[in-house]
Amino acid sequence: MSAWFAQHLTALRDALRRLLAMPLNTLLSLLVIGVALTLPTAGWLTIENLRKLTGDTPGVQQISIFLALNASQSEVGEIESRLQQASAGSWRFVPRAEALKRLQEAEGMAEIIGSLPKNPLPDAFVVTPADSRPESLESLATSFSTWPKVAHVQLDSAWVKRLDSLLRLGKLIVMLLAVLFAGALVTITFNTIRLQILAQAAEIEVAKLIGATDTYIQRPLHYFGLLQGALGGLCAALLVTAGSHLLTPPVAELARLYGTSFTLQGLSANDIVVLAAIGGTLGWLGAKISALIHLRRIS
């Protein structure tokens, strides 16, 4: 076991030596890999922020339950009990007097409301569902409409469906970009390993003549691809984080102008680890394919 660890440690040191031997080429390769991983990562982060924004913005995904005008206090309490049993999410009760007061405060409505003989507005519940999927919202709205003393249930399901469709389309585009740039990352590592094999062809031939196995020769190349990909992933994380920090103030200011508060979500520590792991895996794959193909040509 100690010999196995020693072999891998030697291969890792050899890979690090190769990375540090050409710092400019290594830096350029890391930047290219970082940009390749940055674009799909930024797209995914944008979609997650949009989901968070629509989920946190009041009124975006809410169901309004309007009761009948003759609903009594006990019947209002029964509706509240049904909401608790349904576990539909959070809700708030809006008494008809409060609704009328808010309407009177609107510009140009005070005189109109004052001329009415009685309050025409009903009591209402505003529900913010825990599950914001369009089919779930429609199912809840249908269920609410069957409850006693419920006169009307309002849900902008068309808007929610459009938003959900746009987010799913964006997610598909990000996935296609991720596959495309993953192929580009594998290709970059493939070509880098090919050039290294061609440059060290004589050294590899001598190593084979004195008994070196293909596994022994390939191991440093695999580590090289792994390290290059992982460092490229960290470079992508740095670029995305820098972009998030630059965009956070203007996004917060824009949200404030629309009367809400929103903080742009950046990459978490787990996201950075996953990004480095993805880069390392793709780099290792490119190195393995390149080594298998090109080492066979060296007898």
Side-chain angles (χ1 to χ4, degrees):
M1 183 64 70
S2 59
W4 183 86
F5 276 114
Q7 290 174 1
H8 280 268
L9 184 59
T10 301
L12 180 59
R13 288 174 178 172
D14 187 26
L16 286 171
R17 178 182 58 79
R18 295 186 187 193
L19 282 171
L20 297 175
M22 297 180 292
L24 181 58
N25 289 341
T26 299
L27 180 60
L28 292 176
S29 297
L30 294 182
L31 285 175
V32 171
I33 294 172
V35 171
L37 291 174
T38 294
L39 295 177
T41 303
W44 168 79
L45 197 59
T46 300
I47 292 175
E48 290 300 312
N49 276 283
L50 285 174
R51 288 191 182 276
K52 182 175 182 292
L53 175 62
T54 55
D56 291 347
T57 302
V60 172
Q61 295 172 343
Q62 292 180 336
I63 302 175
S64 298
I65 304 174
F66 298 100
L67 306 186
L69 290 175
N70 60 350
S72 63
Q73 289 296 323
S74 61
E75 289 167 335
V76 171
E78 182 182 349
I79 296 294
E80 188 169 2
S81 298
R82 286 175 176 266
L83 287 172
Q84 290 176 347
Q85 294 173 1
S87 300
S90 61
W91 71 88
R92 59 185 177 88
F93 176 62
V94 183
R96 54 189 305 186
E98 179 183 338
L100 182 66
K101 182 179 179 181
R102 290 184 180 180
L103 189 60
Q104 284 178 328
E105 292 174 352
E107 185 176 355
M109 295 297 296
E111 294 183 3
I112 297 176
I113 297 300
S115 64
L116 296 175
K118 62 179 181 178
N119 186 355
L121 302 178
D123 293 325
F125 286 91
V126 179
V127 182
T128 303
D131 188 351
S132 60
R133 292 176 300 175
E135 57 271 18
S136 177
L137 294 175
E138 289 186 352
S139 176
L140 279 176
T142 302
S143 176
F144 294 158
S145 63
T146 62
W147 291 357
K149 292 300 180 179
V150 172
H152 178 65
V153 176
Q154 181 176 320
L155 167 66
D156 190 1
S157 59
W159 187 93
V160 174
K161 284 183 176 179
R162 287 194 294 268
L163 173 64
D164 187 69
S165 297
L166 285 173
L167 291 178
R168 283 191 282 110
L169 176 61
K171 190 174 182 179
L172 178 60
I173 293 174
V174 169
M175 290 176 64
L176 293 175
L177 282 175
V179 172
L180 178 64
F181 286 111
L185 195 156
V186 171
T187 302
I188 292 169
T189 308
F190 179 93
N191 189 58
T192 302
I193 298 300
R194 180 183 68 85
L195 294 175
Q196 287 197 14
I197 292 174
L198 293 177
Q200 299 175 358
E203 181 181 338
I204 293 173
E205 288 181 3
V206 172
K208 284 190 173 185
L209 288 175
I210 62 176
T213 63
D214 286 343
T215 301
Y216 177 84
I217 296 173
Q218 291 177 19
R219 190 177 292 123
L221 301 175
H222 293 168
Y223 272 111
F224 181 90
L226 177 66
L227 288 173
Q228 182 176 254
L231 291 174
L234 293 177
C235 182
L238 180 62
L239 293 174
V240 172
T241 301
S244 297
H245 280 297
L246 289 175
L247 291 174
T248 295
V251 168
E253 176 64 18
L254 181 63
R256 188 187 65 79
L257 293 175
Y258 278 92
T260 185
S261 60
F262 178 72
T263 302
L264 201 63
Q265 176 186 347
L267 293 175
S268 65
N270 288 337
D271 295 333
I272 295 174
V273 171
V274 169
L275 191 57
I278 292 173
T281 301
L282 294 173
W284 172 85
L285 180 62
K288 187 173 182 63
I289 295 173
S290 183
L292 286 174
I293 293 175
H294 296 101
L295 285 178
R296 290 177 181 177
R297 302 176 183 178
I298 301 177
S299 56

